[in-house]
Amino acid sequence: MADPRAVTGAKTDARQHHDPEIRGFASDNYAGAHPEVLAALALANGGHQVAYGEDDYTAHLQRVIRSHFGQRAEAFPVFNGTGANVVALQAVTDRWGAVIAADSAHIHVDECGAPERVGGLKLLTVPTEDGKLTPELIDREAYGWDDEHRAMPQVVSITQSTELGTVYTPDEIRAICEHAHERGMVVHLDGSRIANAAATLDVPMRAFTNAVGVDILSFGGTKNGAVFGEAVVVLNPDRVRAMKHLRKLSMQLASKMRFVSVQLEALLAKDLWLRNARHANTMAQRLAAGVREIGGVEILYPVQSNGVFARLPHDVSERLQKRYRFYFWDESAGVVRWMCAFDTAEEDVDGFLAALREEMGR
């Protein structure tokens, strides 16, 4: 019988069920894992490590996280982004608390009501032109703290980069944090694409998180080359409570946590996180430049990360979707979203642009 500990070079009876040469523009979640992340997973395999986060890899991840976010930072690895957001928001709210967010925020639009149903939170959403909150927009819902008939605004949640592909500057986030803190509120940052924002701004992630007053962060790994796994990063422990218990209660405590932690370490220990994000952003810029040369296609928002939002004839989008995967963002308005990933190649972009030109010309 083969030694089950001999994992190097192990064979498998699994089969490949897809063409690895096909890449689309639907989501950076469609991408596979970066080879360096897969190598890290193999490195962490074999032997026994203590479960539920008491392993050597999760301990080392704390040191890596502090190198990016300061000595007070603590990471709590979780399974996915929705879980990270729900756990983070629960940790900074009371049962009667509410969260102010943009009406395009992922916690409002794309999490099936999890912050409200699972977290027991009230979301107070504000319309924005570009996915970004401002102090003035926050004040549309930041009131009524002594009114027992109204959910109490306790948190401002922003996304960096936003769901519309735009990016906050450090000064913009500083203004939001100062405004929120003056009103007794906490600031949460949904960083599912935080690496793309840092790449665009060309600054360390701390420059627009702990350095400007963000209290708690949902750190994204999956969209940037991980197989799975995100983390809640507590930046200001004075504002946060009961994270360990909330993570377990919310079904986000991984028993074999080393396999989440080692992926985040592989991304963050050196510059893989930044290399991946810069490449995805560059491919989005290449895509946007080509789209601007095609008549009848309108780019709707500044292309500041790895997404391009455009408006074009509905029938063209439907035909193009048969050749490349992507999603409608607002089908009634003819708005689509094209996402690039760490593995998007120049020839993928050029092939897509050629197909777009062809369909627009039909």
Side-chain angles (χ1 to χ4, degrees), residues 38-88:
L38 291 177
L41 281 167
L43 187 69
N45 199 28
H48 286 201
Q49 280 274 283
V50 183
Y52 300 111
E54 299 297 321
D55 59 275
D56 294 337
Y57 294 91
T58 302
H60 184 69
L61 175 64
Q62 302 304 328
R63 295 193 287 274
V64 174
I65 284 290
R66 289 180 184 125
S67 72
H68 287 279
F69 298 105
Q71 290 306 305
R72 300 188 78 200
E74 184 176 5
F76 294 83
V78 295
F79 289 113
N80 54 43
T82 296
N85 286 335
V86 170
V87 171

Side-chain angles (χ1 to χ4, degrees), residues 8 39 42 52 54 81 118 172 174 233 312 338 342 346 355:
T8 302
Y52 300 111
E54 299 297 321
V118 178
E172 287 173 331
R174 184 191 302 276
V233 181
L312 63 158
W338 298 319
F342 78 90
E346 290 183 358

Side-chain angles (χ1 to χ4, degrees), residues 250-271:
S250 301
M251 298 170 285
Q252 289 291 319
L253 179 65
S255 56
K256 297 184 180 180
M257 196 181 295
R258 60 171 151 161
F259 295 113
V260 181
S261 298
V262 76
Q263 294 180 75
L264 299 177
E265 179 190 348
L267 288 170
L268 290 169
K270 293 186 178 179
D271 67 345

Side-chain angles (χ1 to χ4, degrees), residues 145-163:
W145 288 277
D146 292 327
D147 183 355
E148 68 268 35
H149 301 287
R150 187 173 194 267
M152 181 185 293
Q154 293 185 320
V155 183
V156 174
S157 180
I158 60 176
T159 311
Q160 176 80 318
S161 50
T162 75
E163 289 76 14

Side-chain angles (χ1 to χ4, degrees), residues 28 85 102 104-106 130-133 158-169 172-173 189-201 205 208-209 217-218 220 223 277 280-281 284 302-309 329 337 339-340:
D28 34 13
N85 286 335
S104 57
H106 199 273
D130 56 3
K132 295 162 62 174
L133 289 177
I158 60 176
T159 311
Q160 176 80 318
S161 50
T162 75
E163 289 76 14
L164 301 181
T166 53
V167 171
Y168 289 92
T169 67
E172 287 173 331
I173 296 180
L189 189 146
D190 181 347
S192 63
R193 295 186 177 95
I194 188 173
N196 301 93
T200 291
L201 295 168
M205 290 182 286
F208 56 84
T209 53
L217 162 70
S218 299
K223 292 177 171 64
N281 289 1
V303 180
Q304 297 177 332
S305 57
N306 62 321
V308 178
F309 291 76
W329 185 256
R337 186 190 73 167
M339 298 299 299
C340 297

